[in-house]
Amino acid sequence: MASTPVRSSAPGKVILFGEHAVVYGQPAIAVPVTQVKATATVDAAPAGSGLTIVASDIGERIVFARAPKKDPLAAAAQATLSYLSAREPDATLTIKSTIPISSGLGSGAAVSTALTCALAKFLGHPLEPAEVSKLVYKIEKIHHGTPSGIDNTVIAYEKPIYFTRGEPVERLNVGEPFTLLIADTGKPSPTKKIVDRVRRAREREAAHYDALFDQMGDIAAEARGAIESGDIETLGPLMDENHELLIELGVSSSLLDELVETARLTGALGAKLSGAGQGGNIIALVEDDFAEEVAEALKEAEAAQVIQTKVR
Ligand code: MEV
């Protein structure tokens, strides 16, 4: 067990192509966003004090031994301890995060990842990304019900991925780095609720929705080729097409559409909502020379925050 503090961080993420369709077995593409992160620090505590989890950003202090089973922070700690067959340590685990909550940037998965990695390191058993991803997936089920697994995977590996549910993770080689703007609506994107609504709609009209998901999967497959060969020009129109399909799926909103339109009109090569939708983010593909202008326009169009990131 470590006697000095141990720290681990995990990035945010965005989905470039294939959200929702990925729940139904279609491929999707996601990338880490290192401009925002969750950090977990574990400090040794006096013998007999047990484990306390402090989430200072949300003013939570959890005594592990008395925490409800479904508490996601306590559940992440429990999953890690069970996996390592370790006893509850005497320690304080402090979580901090700069990732906006419920915004489509993977805040829940990043917090669980940072917590799991830091606790495992503290116990002297650092984990591999595949192990972390598997543990965090269990916690994602508490947050989201039936997650595809894309969030925990991209965050644990911290690399662009081409993800198909139930298949081994494929890392994506980016032929030519490209710039994305991520504009947050500031409105929540309640993933579980939206995914449930899509599921119910699909139960009523399977053929229609499966056709939409198939088209989204085809777009993700084509985008993979374009990313790997550095054909950035092709990516923009594919993002636009994917956004139209997400509108048809019923997960966009007037603010998301407005931000997408603003990005396109001010010079983005393409734009779409990213994540579960309704609120959350849009992403826009931009040439570096236009990034500032598009970011300014997005802020004027009421984006709560605009993050610029390079995908490489
Ligand atoms: C959430 O980040 C992405 C969704 O496709 C849900 C999932 O993949 O679990 C909407």
Side-chain angles (χ1 to χ4, degrees), residues 155-171:
I155 290 171
Y157 284 85
E158 295 189 41
K159 292 271 186 287
I161 57 164
Y162 185 77
F163 179 89
T164 309
R165 191 173 191 166
E167 290 186 14
V169 56
E170 292 182 65
R171 292 191 193 179

Side-chain angles (χ1 to χ4, degrees), residues 166-207:
E167 290 186 14
V169 56
E170 292 182 65
R171 292 191 193 179
L172 198 58
N173 294 314
V174 178
E176 189 71 46
F178 57 91
T179 301
L180 286 182
L181 293 176
I182 303 163
D184 184 4
T185 57
K187 308 265 183 277
S189 174
T191 305
K192 185 173 180 333
K193 215 164 125 190
I194 305 166
V195 169
D196 283 350
R197 226 189 47 214
V198 170
R199 175 174 303 106
R200 284 196 300 275
R202 178 176 174 267
E203 277 164 12
R204 288 191 299 271
E205 262 185 284

Side-chain angles (χ1 to χ4, degrees), residues 25-280:
Q26 295 292 339
I29 295 175
V31 301
V33 178
T34 52
Q35 286 73 9
V36 286
K37 63 179 179 184
T39 306
T41 310
V42 190
D43 290 277
S49 47
L51 178 65
T52 307
I53 305 172
V54 179
S56 37
D57 304 326
I58 49 172
E60 248 188 60
R61 188 180 181 86
I62 300 156
V63 176
F64 177 71
R66 295 201 292 273
K69 257 196 147 83
K70 288 249 162 180
D71 177 274
L73 297 176
Q78 182 57 60
T80 310
L81 294 176
S82 304
Y83 181 69
L84 296 174
S85 307
R87 289 216 332 260
E88 177 188 350
D90 295 317
T92 304
L93 201 162
T94 307
I95 306 282
K96 290 193 169 141
S97 176
T98 58
I99 309 174
I101 295 171
S102 204
S103 71
L105 283 168
S107 130
V111 164
S112 302
T113 300
L115 186 158
T116 299
C117 290
L119 186 56
K121 248 202 268 177
F122 180 79
L123 295 166
H125 298 284
L127 299 173
E128 294 296 321
E131 296 174 291
V132 176
S133 180
K134 222 168 161 178
L135 287 173
V136 172
Y137 182 67
K138 288 189 186 170
I139 317 307
E140 285 290 280
K141 285 195 206 159
I142 301 177
H143 283 294
H144 298 318
T146 54
S148 65
I150 190 167
D151 289 11
N152 48 285
T153 306
V154 66
I155 290 171
Y157 284 85
E158 295 189 41
K159 292 271 186 287
I161 57 164
Y162 185 77
F163 179 89
T164 309
R165 191 173 191 166
E167 290 186 14
V169 56
E170 292 182 65
R171 292 191 193 179
L172 198 58
N173 294 314
V174 178
E176 189 71 46
F178 57 91
T179 301
L180 286 182
L181 293 176
I182 303 163
D184 184 4
T185 57
K187 308 265 183 277
S189 174
T191 305
K192 185 173 180 333
K193 215 164 125 190
I194 305 166
V195 169
D196 283 350
R197 226 189 47 214
V198 170
R199 175 174 303 106
R200 284 196 300 275
R202 178 176 174 267
E203 277 164 12
R204 288 191 299 271
E205 262 185 284
H208 171 66
Y209 284 92
D210 285 346
L212 288 179
F213 296 143
D214 281 349
Q215 289 176 72
M216 292 179 192
D218 289 348
I219 289 174
E222 202 180 331
R224 175 198 198 158
I227 291 172
E228 289 187 331
S229 62
D231 179 10
I232 304 308
E233 300 266 296
T234 303
L235 275 188
L238 289 174
M239 288 167 76
D240 293 342
E241 256 181 72
N242 198 159
H243 185 71
E244 291 311 308
L245 294 170
L246 288 162
I247 292 177
E248 231 180 301
L249 191 61
V251 298
S252 194
S253 71
S254 47
L255 182 52
L256 286 165
D257 291 344
E258 196 187 317
L259 292 177
V260 161
E261 201 51 33
T262 301
R264 288 177 189 154
L265 288 173
T266 47
L269 300 170
K272 64 182 276 293
L273 75 83
S274 173
Q278 298 237 292

